Amino acid sequence: MSVKRLPPADAYRLVRRGARLVDLRPAEIYARAHPWMAESRPLESLASMGTPLSERAERPVVFVCRTGTVTAAHAALLARCSDGPAYAVNGGFDAWRRQGLPIETPPRSLGAQLRGALASLAQSLRAA
């Protein structure tokens, strides 16, 4: 089985229809921002897996890395991780983000929210 490359918009449509989206970037980078509905599975962890990622053979798996080069270089490994169709996002997360597709980021801390609100208030008071 091979890994077919998809433009980010096509990959997004596939995920919306139920495909599993797997982010291969390191966990600390994934935590900063990742494609909507993606789960973190760093590439190193896939090599040690004994079972495929998909619990249903017909469920597609879409892989994403930062720029698409990791998915291209490890296509054989990624194909073995899926019993069903396997895809890679062409251009990776960088292309996903450039196309304005949904991403998830951690919520800002309360302190950061307060600092932002206070800065905005101070700016509006100076303008008045």
Side-chain angles (χ1 to χ4, degrees):
M1 187 181 314
S2 64
V3 176
K4 181 179 177 188
R5 302 193 66 72
L6 290 176
D10 291 350
Y12 174 64
R13 280 191 284 281
L14 200 56
V15 170
R16 288 190 53 156
R17 289 193 304 248
R20 189 170 182 177
L21 182 58
V22 177
D23 192 325
L24 301 172
R25 299 173 303 147
E28 61 274 2
I29 295 173
Y30 167 90
R32 291 185 213 141
H34 55 269
W36 173 77
M37 296 292 293
E39 61 184 86
S40 179
R41 291 290 178 107
L43 182 65
E44 302 78 36
S45 71
L46 291 182
S48 63
M49 286 182 59
T51 58
L53 285 168
S54 185
E55 65 281 353
R56 297 187 334 254
E58 70 278 359
R59 185 177 184 196
V61 177
V62 178
F63 296 98
V64 64
C65 63
R66 186 175 66 84
T67 63
T69 55
V70 169
T71 55
H74 295 88
L77 169 65
L78 300 179
R80 287 194 306 272
C81 290
S82 175
D83 276 345
Y87 302 93
V89 177
N90 200 26
F93 179 66
D94 290 352
W96 181 286
R97 179 177 268 184
R98 272 194 311 277
Q99 290 191 10
L101 297 173
I103 61 171
E104 296 179 72
T105 57
R108 288 179 29 190
S109 70
L110 181 57
Q113 292 176 36
L114 286 173
R115 284 190 297 279
L118 288 172
S120 179
L121 178 61
Q123 184 177 15
S124 63
L125 288 173
R126 281 192 294 270

Coordinates of all heavy atoms in Angstrom, one line a residue, residues 38-108:
A38 N -6.5 16.9 14.9 CA -5.3 16.1 14.8 C -5.0 15.5 16.1 O -5.2 16.1 17.1 CB -4.1 16.9 14.2
E39 N -4.4 14.3 16.1 CA -3.9 13.7 17.3 C -2.4 13.6 17.2 O -1.8 13.5 16.1 CB -4.5 12.3 17.5 CG -4.1 11.3 16.4 CD -4.8 10.0 16.6 OE1 -6.0 9.8 16.2 OE2 -4.1 9.1 17.2
S40 N -1.7 13.8 18.3 CA -0.2 13.8 18.3 C 0.3 12.3 18.3 O 0.0 11.6 19.2 CB 0.3 14.5 19.5 OG 1.7 14.5 19.5
R41 N 1.1 12.0 17.3 CA 1.8 10.7 17.2 C 3.1 11.0 16.6 O 3.3 10.8 15.4 CB 1.0 9.7 16.4 CG -0.2 9.2 17.0 CD 0.1 8.3 18.2 NE -1.2 7.8 18.7 CZ -1.6 6.5 18.7 NH1 -0.9 5.7 18.0 NH2 -2.7 6.2 19.2
P42 N 4.1 11.5 17.4 CA 5.4 11.7 16.8 C 6.0 10.6 16.0 O 5.7 9.4 16.4 CB 6.3 12.0 18.1 CG 5.3 12.5 19.1 CD 4.1 11.7 18.8
L43 N 6.7 10.9 15.0 CA 7.2 9.8 14.1 C 7.9 8.7 14.8 O 7.7 7.5 14.5 CB 8.1 10.5 13.0 CG 8.6 9.5 12.0 CD1 7.5 9.0 11.1 CD2 9.6 10.2 11.1
E44 N 8.7 9.1 15.8 CA 9.5 8.1 16.5 C 8.5 7.0 17.2 O 8.9 5.9 17.3 CB 10.3 8.7 17.6 CG 11.3 9.8 17.2 CD 10.7 11.1 16.8 OE1 9.7 11.5 17.6 OE2 11.1 11.7 15.9
S45 N 7.4 7.4 17.6 CA 6.5 6.5 18.3 C 5.8 5.5 17.3 O 5.5 4.4 17.7 CB 5.4 7.2 19.1 OG 4.5 7.8 18.2
L46 N 5.7 5.9 16.0 CA 5.1 5.0 15.1 C 6.0 3.8 14.7 O 5.5 2.8 14.5 CB 4.8 5.8 13.8 CG 3.7 6.8 13.8 CD1 3.5 7.4 12.5 CD2 2.4 6.2 14.3
A47 N 7.3 4.1 14.7 CA 8.2 3.0 14.4 C 8.1 1.8 15.4 O 8.3 0.7 15.0 CB 9.6 3.5 14.4
S48 N 7.7 2.1 16.6 CA 7.7 1.1 17.6 C 6.3 0.5 17.8 O 6.1 -0.5 18.6 CB 8.1 1.6 19.0 OG 7.2 2.7 19.4
M49 N 5.3 1.0 17.0 CA 3.9 0.4 17.1 C 3.8 -0.9 16.5 O 4.4 -1.2 15.4 CB 2.9 1.4 16.4 CG 2.7 2.6 17.2 SD 1.4 3.7 16.4 CE 0.0 2.5 16.3
G50 N 3.1 -1.8 17.1 CA 2.9 -3.1 16.5 C 1.6 -3.3 15.8 O 1.3 -4.2 15.1
T51 N 0.7 -2.3 16.0 CA -0.7 -2.4 15.4 C -0.9 -1.2 14.6 O -0.4 -0.1 14.8 CB -1.8 -2.5 16.5 OG1 -1.7 -1.4 17.3 CG2 -1.6 -3.8 17.3
P52 N -1.8 -1.3 13.6 CA -2.1 -0.2 12.8 C -2.9 0.9 13.6 O -3.5 0.6 14.6 CB -3.1 -0.8 11.7 CG -2.8 -2.2 11.7 CD -2.4 -2.6 13.1
L53 N -2.9 2.1 13.1 CA -3.5 3.2 13.8 C -5.0 3.2 13.7 O -5.7 3.5 14.6 CB -3.1 4.6 13.1 CG -1.7 5.0 13.5 CD1 -1.3 6.2 12.5 CD2 -1.6 5.5 14.9
S54 N -5.6 2.7 12.6 CA -7.0 2.7 12.4 C -7.6 1.5 13.0 O -7.2 0.4 12.8 CB -7.3 2.8 10.9 OG -8.7 3.0 10.7
E55 N -8.7 1.7 13.7 CA -9.4 0.6 14.3 C -10.4 -0.1 13.3 O -10.8 -1.2 13.5 CB -10.2 1.1 15.6 CG -11.3 2.1 15.3 CD -10.9 3.5 15.1 OE1 -9.7 3.8 15.3 OE2 -11.7 4.3 14.8
R56 N -10.7 0.6 12.2 CA -11.5 0.1 11.2 C -10.7 0.1 9.9 O -10.1 1.1 9.5 CB -12.7 0.9 11.0 CG -13.7 0.9 12.1 CD -15.0 1.6 11.8 NE -15.0 2.6 10.8 CZ -15.0 3.9 11.0 NH1 -15.0 4.4 12.2 NH2 -15.0 4.7 10.0
A57 N -10.6 -1.0 9.2 CA -9.8 -1.1 8.0 C -10.1 -0.1 6.9 O -9.3 0.4 6.2 CB -9.8 -2.5 7.4
E58 N -11.4 0.3 6.9 CA -11.8 1.2 5.8 C -11.6 2.6 6.2 O -11.8 3.5 5.3 CB -13.3 1.0 5.4 CG -14.3 1.4 6.5 CD -14.5 0.3 7.6 OE1 -13.9 -0.7 7.6 OE2 -15.3 0.6 8.5
R59 N -11.3 2.9 7.4 CA -11.1 4.3 7.8 C -9.8 4.9 7.4 O -8.7 4.4 7.7 CB -11.2 4.5 9.4 CG -11.1 5.9 9.8 CD -11.3 6.0 11.3 NE -11.3 7.4 11.7 CZ -11.1 7.8 13.0 NH1 -11.0 6.9 13.9 NH2 -11.2 9.1 13.3
P60 N -9.8 5.9 6.6 CA -8.5 6.5 6.1 C -7.8 7.2 7.2 O -8.3 7.6 8.2 CB -9.0 7.5 5.1 CG -10.4 7.3 4.8 CD -11.0 6.6 6.0
V61 N -6.4 7.2 7.1 CA -5.6 7.9 8.0 C -4.8 9.0 7.2 O -4.3 8.7 6.1 CB -4.6 7.0 8.7 CG1 -3.6 7.8 9.6 CG2 -5.3 5.9 9.5
V62 N -4.8 10.2 7.7 CA -4.1 11.3 7.0 C -3.0 11.7 7.9 O -3.2 12.0 9.1 CB -5.1 12.5 6.8 CG1 -4.3 13.7 6.1 CG2 -6.3 12.1 5.9
F63 N -1.8 11.8 7.4 CA -0.6 12.1 8.1 C -0.2 13.5 7.8 O -0.3 14.0 6.6 CB 0.6 11.2 7.8 CG 0.3 9.8 8.2 CD1 -0.1 8.8 7.3 CD2 0.5 9.4 9.5 CE1 -0.4 7.5 7.7 CE2 0.2 8.1 9.9 CZ -0.2 7.1 9.0
V64 N 0.3 14.3 8.8 CA 0.8 15.6 8.6 C 2.1 15.8 9.3 O 2.2 15.4 10.5 CB -0.3 16.7 8.9 CG1 -0.6 16.7 10.4 CG2 0.1 18.1 8.5
C65 N 3.0 16.5 8.7 CA 4.3 16.9 9.4 C 4.4 18.4 9.2 O 3.4 19.0 8.8 CB 5.5 16.1 8.8 SG 5.8 16.5 7.1
R66 N 5.5 19.0 9.4 CA 5.6 20.5 9.3 C 5.5 20.9 7.8 O 4.8 21.8 7.5 CB 6.9 21.0 9.9 CG 7.0 22.5 9.9 CD 8.2 23.0 10.7 NE 9.4 22.7 10.0 CZ 10.0 23.4 9.0 NH1 9.4 24.5 8.6 NH2 11.1 23.1 8.5
T67 N 6.3 20.3 6.9 CA 6.4 20.8 5.5 C 6.1 19.8 4.5 O 6.0 20.1 3.3 CB 7.8 21.3 5.2 OG1 8.7 20.3 5.3 CG2 8.2 22.5 6.1
G68 N 5.8 18.5 4.9 CA 5.5 17.5 4.0 C 6.7 16.6 3.6 O 6.6 15.5 3.1
T69 N 7.9 17.0 4.1 CA 9.1 16.2 3.7 C 9.2 15.0 4.6 O 9.7 13.9 4.1 CB 10.4 17.1 3.9 OG1 10.4 17.6 5.2 CG2 10.4 18.2 2.9
V70 N 8.8 15.0 5.8 CA 8.9 13.8 6.7 C 7.9 12.8 6.2 O 8.3 11.6 6.1 CB 8.6 14.2 8.2 CG1 8.4 12.9 9.0 CG2 9.7 15.0 8.7
T71 N 6.7 13.2 5.8 CA 5.8 12.2 5.3 C 6.3 11.5 4.0 O 6.1 10.4 3.8 CB 4.4 12.8 5.1 OG1 4.5 13.9 4.3 CG2 3.8 13.2 6.4
A72 N 6.9 12.3 3.2 CA 7.4 11.8 1.9 C 8.6 10.8 2.2 O 8.7 9.8 1.6 CB 7.9 12.9 1.0
A73 N 9.5 11.2 3.1 CA 10.6 10.3 3.4 C 10.3 9.0 4.1 O 11.0 8.1 4.0 CB 11.6 11.1 4.2
H74 N 9.2 9.0 4.8 CA 8.8 7.8 5.6 C 7.5 7.2 5.1 O 6.8 6.6 5.9 CB 8.7 8.2 7.1 CG 10.0 8.6 7.6 ND1 10.4 9.9 7.6 CD2 11.0 7.9 8.2 CE1 11.6 10.0 8.2 NE2 12.0 8.8 8.6
A75 N 7.2 7.3 3.8 CA 5.9 6.8 3.3 C 5.7 5.3 3.5 O 4.6 4.9 3.8 CB 5.9 7.1 1.8
A76 N 6.8 4.5 3.4 CA 6.6 3.1 3.6 C 6.2 2.8 5.0 O 5.3 2.0 5.3 CB 7.9 2.4 3.2
L77 N 6.8 3.4 6.0 CA 6.5 3.2 7.4 C 5.0 3.7 7.6 O 4.2 3.0 8.3 CB 7.4 4.0 8.3 CG 7.0 4.1 9.8 CD1 7.0 2.8 10.5 CD2 7.9 5.1 10.5
L78 N 4.6 4.8 7.1 CA 3.3 5.4 7.3 C 2.3 4.4 6.7 O 1.2 4.2 7.3 CB 3.2 6.8 6.7 CG 4.1 7.8 7.3 CD1 4.0 9.1 6.7 CD2 4.0 7.9 8.8
A79 N 2.6 3.9 5.5 CA 1.6 3.0 4.9 C 1.4 1.7 5.8 O 0.3 1.2 5.8 CB 2.1 2.6 3.5
R80 N 2.4 1.2 6.4 CA 2.3 0.1 7.3 C 1.5 0.4 8.5 O 0.9 -0.5 9.2 CB 3.7 -0.4 7.7 CG 4.4 -1.1 6.6 CD 5.6 -1.9 7.2 NE 6.5 -1.1 8.0 CZ 7.6 -0.4 7.5 NH1 7.8 -0.4 6.2 NH2 8.4 0.2 8.3
C81 N 1.4 1.7 8.9 CA 0.6 2.1 10.1 C -0.9 2.2 9.8 O -1.6 2.5 10.7 CB 1.1 3.4 10.6 SG 2.8 3.3 11.3
S82 N -1.3 1.9 8.6 CA -2.7 2.0 8.3 C -3.2 0.8 7.6 O -2.6 0.4 6.6 CB -2.9 3.3 7.4 OG -4.3 3.3 7.0
D83 N -4.3 0.2 8.1 CA -4.9 -0.9 7.3 C -5.7 -0.4 6.2 O -6.0 -1.2 5.2 CB -5.8 -1.7 8.3 CG -5.0 -2.7 9.1 OD1 -3.9 -3.0 8.8 OD2 -5.6 -3.2 10.1
G84 N -6.1 0.8 6.2 CA -7.0 1.4 5.2 C -6.2 2.4 4.3 O -4.9 2.4 4.4
P85 N -6.8 3.2 3.6 CA -6.1 4.2 2.8 C -5.3 5.1 3.6 O -5.7 5.6 4.7 CB -7.3 5.0 2.1 CG -8.5 4.1 2.2 CD -8.3 3.3 3.5
A86 N -4.1 5.5 3.1 CA -3.2 6.4 3.9 C -2.9 7.6 3.0 O -2.6 7.4 1.8 CB -1.9 5.6 4.2
Y87 N -2.9 8.7 3.6 CA -2.7 10.0 2.9 C -1.7 10.8 3.6 O -1.5 10.7 4.8 CB -4.0 10.8 2.7 CG -5.0 10.0 1.9 CD1 -6.0 9.3 2.6 CD2 -5.1 10.0 0.6 CE1 -7.0 8.5 2.0 CE2 -6.1 9.3 -0.1 CZ -7.0 8.6 0.6 OH -8.0 7.9 -0.1
A88 N -1.0 11.8 2.9 CA -0.2 12.7 3.5 C -0.5 14.1 3.0 O -0.9 14.3 1.8 CB 1.3 12.5 3.2
V89 N -0.5 15.1 3.9 CA -0.8 16.5 3.5 C 0.3 17.1 2.8 O 1.4 17.2 3.3 CB -1.2 17.3 4.8 CG1 -1.4 18.8 4.4 CG2 -2.3 16.7 5.5
N90 N 0.1 17.4 1.5 CA 1.2 18.0 0.7 C 1.5 19.4 1.2 O 0.6 20.2 1.3 CB 0.7 18.1 -0.8 CG 1.8 18.2 -1.7 OD1 2.9 17.8 -1.5 ND2 1.5 18.8 -2.9
G91 N 2.7 19.6 1.6 CA 3.1 20.9 2.2 C 3.0 21.0 3.7 O 3.4 21.9 4.3
G92 N 2.5 19.9 4.3 CA 2.4 19.8 5.7 C 1.6 20.8 6.4 O 0.7 21.5 5.8
F93 N 1.8 21.0 7.7 CA 1.1 21.9 8.6 C 1.3 23.4 8.1 O 0.4 24.2 8.1 CB 1.5 21.8 10.0 CG 0.9 22.8 10.9 CD1 -0.5 22.7 11.2 CD2 1.6 23.8 11.6 CE1 -1.1 23.6 12.0 CE2 0.9 24.7 12.4 CZ -0.4 24.6 12.6
D94 N 2.5 23.7 7.6 CA 2.7 25.0 7.1 C 1.7 25.4 6.0 O 1.2 26.5 5.9 CB 4.2 25.2 6.5 CG 5.2 25.2 7.7 OD1 4.8 25.2 8.8 OD2 6.4 25.1 7.3
A95 N 1.5 24.5 5.0 CA 0.5 24.7 3.9 C -0.9 24.7 4.5 O -1.7 25.5 4.0 CB 0.7 23.6 2.9
W96 N -1.2 23.8 5.4 CA -2.5 23.8 6.1 C -2.8 25.2 6.6 O -3.9 25.7 6.4 CB -2.5 22.7 7.2 CG -3.8 22.5 7.9 CD1 -4.3 23.4 8.9 CD2 -4.7 21.4 7.8 NE1 -5.5 22.8 9.4 CE2 -5.7 21.6 8.7 CE3 -4.7 20.3 7.0 CZ2 -6.8 20.7 8.9 CZ3 -5.7 19.4 7.2 CH2 -6.8 19.6 8.1
R97 N -1.9 25.7 7.4 CA -2.1 27.1 8.0 C -2.2 28.2 7.0 O -3.0 29.0 7.1 CB -0.9 27.3 9.0 CG -1.0 28.7 9.7 CD 0.1 28.9 10.6 NE -0.4 28.4 11.9 CZ 0.3 28.5 13.0 NH1 1.5 29.0 13.0 NH2 -0.2 28.1 14.2
R98 N -1.3 28.1 6.0 CA -1.3 29.2 4.9 C -2.7 29.2 4.2 O -3.1 30.3 3.8 CB -0.2 28.9 3.9 CG 1.1 29.6 4.2 CD 2.1 29.6 3.0 NE 2.2 28.3 2.3 CZ 3.0 27.3 2.7 NH1 3.8 27.5 3.8 NH2 3.1 26.2 2.0
Q99 N -3.3 28.1 4.1 CA -4.6 28.0 3.4 C -5.8 28.4 4.3 O -6.9 28.4 3.8 CB -4.8 26.6 2.8 CG -3.9 26.4 1.6 CD -4.3 25.1 0.8 OE1 -5.3 24.5 1.0 NE2 -3.4 24.8 -0.1
G100 N -5.5 28.7 5.5 CA -6.5 29.2 6.4 C -7.4 28.1 7.0 O -8.5 28.4 7.4
L101 N -6.9 26.9 6.9 CA -7.7 25.8 7.4 C -7.7 25.8 9.0 O -6.8 26.4 9.6 CB -7.2 24.4 6.9 CG -7.3 24.3 5.4 CD1 -6.6 23.1 4.9 CD2 -8.8 24.3 4.9
P102 N -8.7 25.2 9.6 CA -8.8 25.4 11.1 C -7.6 24.7 11.8 O -7.2 23.6 11.5 CB -10.1 24.6 11.5 CG -10.7 24.2 10.2 CD -9.8 24.5 9.1
I103 N -7.2 25.4 12.8 CA -6.1 24.9 13.7 C -6.6 25.1 15.1 O -7.5 25.8 15.4 CB -4.7 25.7 13.5 CG1 -4.9 27.2 13.8 CG2 -4.2 25.5 12.1 CD1 -3.6 27.9 13.8
E104 N -5.9 24.3 16.0 CA -6.2 24.4 17.4 C -4.9 24.9 18.1 O -3.8 24.4 17.8 CB -6.6 23.0 18.0 CG -7.9 22.5 17.4 CD -8.3 21.1 17.9 OE1 -8.6 21.0 19.1 OE2 -8.1 20.1 17.1
T105 N -5.1 25.8 19.1 CA -4.0 26.3 19.9 C -4.4 26.2 21.3 O -5.6 26.2 21.6 CB -3.7 27.7 19.5 OG1 -4.8 28.5 19.7 CG2 -3.2 27.9 18.1
P106 N -3.5 26.1 22.2 CA -3.9 26.1 23.6 C -4.5 27.4 24.0 O -4.2 28.5 23.5 CB -2.6 25.9 24.4 CG -1.5 26.3 23.4 CD -2.0 26.1 22.0
P107 N -5.4 27.4 25.0 CA -6.0 28.6 25.5 C -5.0 29.5 26.1 O -4.1 29.0 26.8 CB -7.1 28.2 26.4 CG -6.7 26.8 26.8 CD -5.9 26.2 25.7
R108 N -5.2 30.8 26.0 CA -4.3 31.7 26.7 C -4.5 31.6 28.2 O -5.6 31.5 28.6 CB -4.5 33.1 26.2 CG -4.0 33.3 24.8 CD -4.2 34.7 24.2 NE -4.3 35.8 25.2 CZ -4.6 37.0 25.0 NH1 -5.0 37.3 23.8 NH2 -4.6 37.9 25.9

